[in-house]
Amino acid sequence: MKHQVPAAMPPCFENWCRRFDDVFSRAIQRQEFRIYLGGLLGESERKNLTQIASNTVEGSYNSLRHFLNDAPWNDMVLNNRRLEVMQQCRQTKLQPGFTLIVDDSGHRKSGDATDGVGRQYIGEIGKTDNGVVLLTTYYYDGVRKLPLDVALYQHASSLPQGKTDPQFVKKPDLALQLIDSCLQRSHRPRVTLIDAGYGNNTPFIKQLEQRNLTYIAAIAKNRSVTYQLPTQQQPHKYSLEELATALPAEAYSEVQLNLERPRTVWVALIQAHIPKLEGLRWLAIQLNAPTWEQATEVDYFLTNTQDEQVSATWIVQTYSQRNWVEVFYREAKGWLGFSEYQVRDAKSLKRHWILIFCAYTFILWHQLTGGFRRQWATKPLHTFAEALEAFRTAVEFRFLRWLMTHINVFAAHKAKSGYLWA
């Protein structure tokens, strides 16, 4: 059921939205907040302003657009409130010792009128194209999985003065801003995971170490290191790829990765010197086969973790948790319209993403507390998709019950779109 009636939404939805009422100064903003969230959570394949307004009885495109573009509310206050709500319940409270995942994601966007758009690498298609890229930080503790903060990367070509424009911020600097937001909330991660786009940036790595953050970073195969093989009298410089081929077969040990699809990898663990970093760092070289000659996939990881913690299993098992941010992007894009919007400016884009965070967290909160399971399902709700379907079942039931006594209202709603409902 793609249609929604704000007055007929399930009580759990109204109770959730009421927690955010004081973020909005006017009653109309609180109403549009409910309509927008309901639209994002609805069954319609499209989640843009036009579709949400069309699916909402007595919904207004102009009012929704004003809410997203111009209404006086603060997206950071809304996001902080969302995280505060999670802290108020034992089952949803963020725990110390969590993993912080830093990642960026992009999607295609035609034209050049949208803020941040430019020719850049788009991860979801695996190549460079015209599109928008955003950065997110993501929380994972083994049970709870939650997006924390988001920022739009303003590509230099989208700014009037290019890289000299005051609004231009490099991705590593944007990532540090998001990490600092997490630390300012007194949420200190046990370990921070970053991909090679940030792991190859030595100044970024130094900034993490200055913040006393433990990290595991993917790095490129051409990264230079200094290492002494057992057969050598003194250390030599190698690229990581050269070092991986030079290591004996017995240097690689078998490790089982517990992913959505479990897999076996072979990992070598060494200590080496990295240029421009003081002292030694642990490096892990991961193969998808027992030997270099057989391997078709090779990954390289760098960490500053303490000696007593480090092991090949710990590094690759922990880094595999990065998969959860990819799961989030897949769910947010596939179910909640993460990349579907009818706005162009940076402020409205961020508002759209924060509202999606609110919708996502609503489902997660009820999945963790068991609210949907008790009333709207006869089976455990293990996944986001299952919990969302239970909520949609509740929406459909209450809509049909409302429809029985409001047929004329719904007929008038359809008539506004030029259709007869009879």
Side-chain angles (χ1 to χ4, degrees):
M1 182 67 66
K2 67 179 183 178
H3 293 97
Q4 65 163 328
V5 183
M9 294 294 279
C12 61
F13 180 77
E14 175 58 29
N15 292 338
W16 174 262
C17 292
R18 196 179 295 128
R19 297 169 182 261
F20 301 88
D21 277 351
D22 62 336
V23 174
F24 304 102
S25 59
R26 300 173 186 172
I28 186 63
Q29 294 173 10
R30 294 190 281 273
Q31 177 183 336
E32 299 303 331
F33 173 70
R34 286 160 169 78
I35 290 175
Y36 203 85
L37 253 62
L40 295 174
L41 293 164
E43 293 189 9
S44 178
E45 291 185 7
R46 301 289 294 174
K47 309 286 183 169
N48 54 44
L49 287 169
T50 300
Q51 194 66 58
I52 292 175
S54 176
N55 292 343
T56 305
V57 175
E58 298 182 350
S60 165
Y61 169 82
N62 290 331
S63 184
L64 270 181
R65 187 173 183 84
H66 174 77
F67 170 73
L68 204 57
N69 288 355
D70 303 313
W73 57 274
N74 189 306
D75 55 77
M76 291 305 298
V77 173
L78 178 62
N79 193 46
N80 286 332
R81 173 59 56 82
R82 174 182 68 93
L83 297 174
E84 289 169 7
V85 169
M86 292 295 285
Q87 292 295 90
Q88 296 169 5
C89 180
R90 176 181 56 82
Q91 296 100 316
T92 62
K93 187 175 183 180
L94 306 189
Q95 302 296 314
F98 65 94
T99 297
L100 180 67
I101 305 169
V102 181
D103 196 33
D104 55 59
S105 179
H107 49 269
R108 284 174 168 168
K109 194 70 176 177
S110 59
D112 58 3
T114 303
D115 284 355
V117 74
R119 286 196 61 81
Q120 49 197 322
Y121 181 77
I122 307 297
E124 69 177 15
I125 61 173
K127 64 179 183 180
T128 298
D129 204 341
N130 208 58
V132 169
V133 170
L134 58 127
L135 279 72
T136 55
T137 46
Y138 193 81
Y139 169 100
Y140 177 74
D141 67 8
V143 176
R144 301 157 197 83
K145 306 174 285 289
L146 184 72
L148 296 178
D149 293 286
V150 62
L152 171 68
Y153 171 63
Q154 297 263 42
H155 193 271
S157 65
S158 70
L159 298 170
Q161 302 175 43
K163 292 185 177 181
T164 62
D165 196 286
Q167 295 186 55
F168 178 71
V169 182
K170 296 179 179 178
K171 284 184 184 178
D173 295 328
L174 265 183
L176 288 170
Q177 290 176 15
L178 298 185
I179 292 171
D180 286 340
S181 294
C182 179
L183 297 176
Q184 288 163 10
R185 299 187 189 103
S186 299
H187 295 153
R188 176 165 286 274
R190 176 178 62 93
V191 61
T192 301
L193 307 182
I194 54 178
D195 67 18
Y198 304 93
N200 291 322
N201 189 303
T202 301
F204 179 79
I205 293 294
K206 287 183 175 180
Q207 287 292 323
L208 293 182
E209 295 184 351
Q210 287 178 14
R211 289 162 171 78
N212 295 317
L213 292 173
T214 298
Y215 59 81
I216 302 176
I219 51 179
K221 64 182 181 181
N222 61 353
R223 188 73 184 264
S224 175
V225 301
T226 302
Y227 180 72
Q228 183 176 339
L229 290 167
T231 57
Q232 295 174 332
Q233 298 296 320
Q234 58 185 3
H236 288 74
K237 284 188 176 181
Y238 298 91
S239 70
L240 282 175
E241 185 176 44
E242 292 170 341
L243 184 56
T245 61
L247 290 174
E250 56 269 22
Y252 294 91
S253 58
E254 184 176 321
V255 176
Q256 298 292 328
L257 292 181
N258 300 318
L259 304 173
E260 286 183 292
R261 295 180 179 178
R263 57 184 293 224
T264 302
V265 295
W266 287 260
V267 185
L269 183 65
I270 61 173
Q271 269 190 312
H273 178 263
I274 310 296
K276 298 183 181 179
L277 293 178
E278 295 182 6
L280 300 176
R281 299 292 185 281
W282 286 103
L283 296 167
I285 302 172
Q286 174 182 299
L287 311 179
N288 69 337
T291 66
W292 171 267
E293 291 75 18
Q294 297 172 291
T296 56
E297 296 177 10
V298 185
D299 296 296
Y300 306 91
F301 304 112
L302 166 70
T303 182
N304 67 335
T305 191
Q306 298 299 313
D307 293 0
E308 60 269 18
Q309 286 182 276
V310 72
S311 70
T313 301
W314 180 82
I315 291 175
V316 298
Q317 285 277 25
T318 303
Y319 193 81
S320 69
Q321 294 172 7
R322 270 197 82 255
N323 181 63
W324 287 109
V325 75
E326 303 300 335
V327 173
F328 162 71
Y329 285 136
R330 186 166 66 243
E331 292 169 341
K333 291 179 179 181
W335 298 104
L336 302 179
F338 199 81
S339 56
E340 299 175 24
Y341 42 81
Q342 288 178 312
V343 292
R344 298 188 183 278
D345 63 285
K347 181 183 78 171
S348 301
L349 288 172
K350 187 174 181 181
R351 285 183 167 188
H352 170 74
W353 292 325
I354 293 296
L355 288 165
I356 284 179
F357 281 11
C358 290
Y360 186 89
T361 306
F362 165 73
I363 297 296
L364 177 65
W365 194 91
H366 286 86
Q367 182 185 0
L368 291 170
T369 58
F372 295 156
R373 170 70 175 86
R374 288 189 294 271
Q375 190 171 2
W376 301 104
T378 58
K379 64 176 184 177
L381 305 175
H382 296 299
T383 67
F384 175 86
E386 290 174 342
L388 178 62
E389 182 60 28
F391 172 71
R392 289 176 172 177
T393 299
V395 172
E396 182 177 9
F397 171 77
R398 292 182 64 86
F399 175 81
L400 291 175
R401 192 169 67 174
W402 173 88
L403 187 60
M404 293 173 66
T405 56
H406 295 82
I407 292 178
N408 291 337
V409 176
F410 187 68
H413 165 71
K414 298 298 290 185
K416 289 180 180 179
S417 301
Y419 301 105
L420 293 176
W421 197 80

